[in-house]
Amino acid sequence: MSESGQTWRREFQAHPAEARQVREWVDTRLGHPDAPQVANELFVSVLASGTETVLMTLSTAGSRARVTAAGSVELKLHHSHGPGFFIVHGLSTLSGLNTDGRGLWAQLDSKTEGTEQ
């Protein structure tokens, strides 16, 4: 199985109306059915921190996809572990807080033929 992949980055204004654009952008790049919802929850969590923009990054490698949302303000505990955390945790394989504390990420795995997950 090839582990090569792609990475896309896009900066969105930190405004609730941008959430729809985030979901559409993610949906056009990742084939995972849960990716738009996960991206939405990550975006909204970072948006709530008070940052001016949210940088969304999508990366793929083999059957894995990683969605990251980052801002310029350190997230408080209720931003990184609020209600959206349970949605992200339930839909992703792994998730966490960026090392600088200003963003969140989630990994999504796709089932491939002949493997069990």
Side-chain angles (χ1 to χ4, degrees):
M1 171 173 56
S2 172
E3 288 293 314
S4 64
Q6 293 183 292
T7 299
W8 300 272
R9 286 186 177 87
R10 184 170 167 190
E11 193 169 63
F12 292 88
Q13 292 300 309
H15 190 277
E18 292 285 285
R20 183 179 63 82
Q21 293 295 324
V22 168
R23 290 189 305 272
E24 290 174 357
W25 180 70
V26 170
D27 193 39
T28 62
R29 282 162 180 76
L30 300 179
H32 196 286
D34 296 326
Q37 182 64 44
V38 168
N40 182 76
E41 297 303 329
L42 297 177
F43 174 81
V44 169
S45 292
V46 173
L47 169 74
S49 73
T51 188
E52 292 183 16
T53 60
V54 179
L55 177 63
M56 298 296 297
T57 305
L58 309 176
S59 300
T60 62
S63 63
R64 296 181 308 272
R66 184 175 175 132
V67 180
T68 305
S72 60
V73 178
E74 191 168 340
L75 300 174
K76 294 188 184 332
L77 185 61
H78 65 278
H79 296 142
S80 61
H81 288 81
F85 170 79
F86 295 107
I87 295 171
V88 171
H89 182 70
L91 296 177
S92 62
T93 307
L94 299 168
S95 61
L97 186 63
N98 291 2
T99 56
D100 65 3
R102 296 178 182 188
L104 299 165
W105 60 270
Q107 178 178 309
L108 302 165
D109 290 337
S110 297
K111 286 187 178 180
T112 56
E113 208 169 308
T115 62
E116 299 275 334
Q117 290 188 352

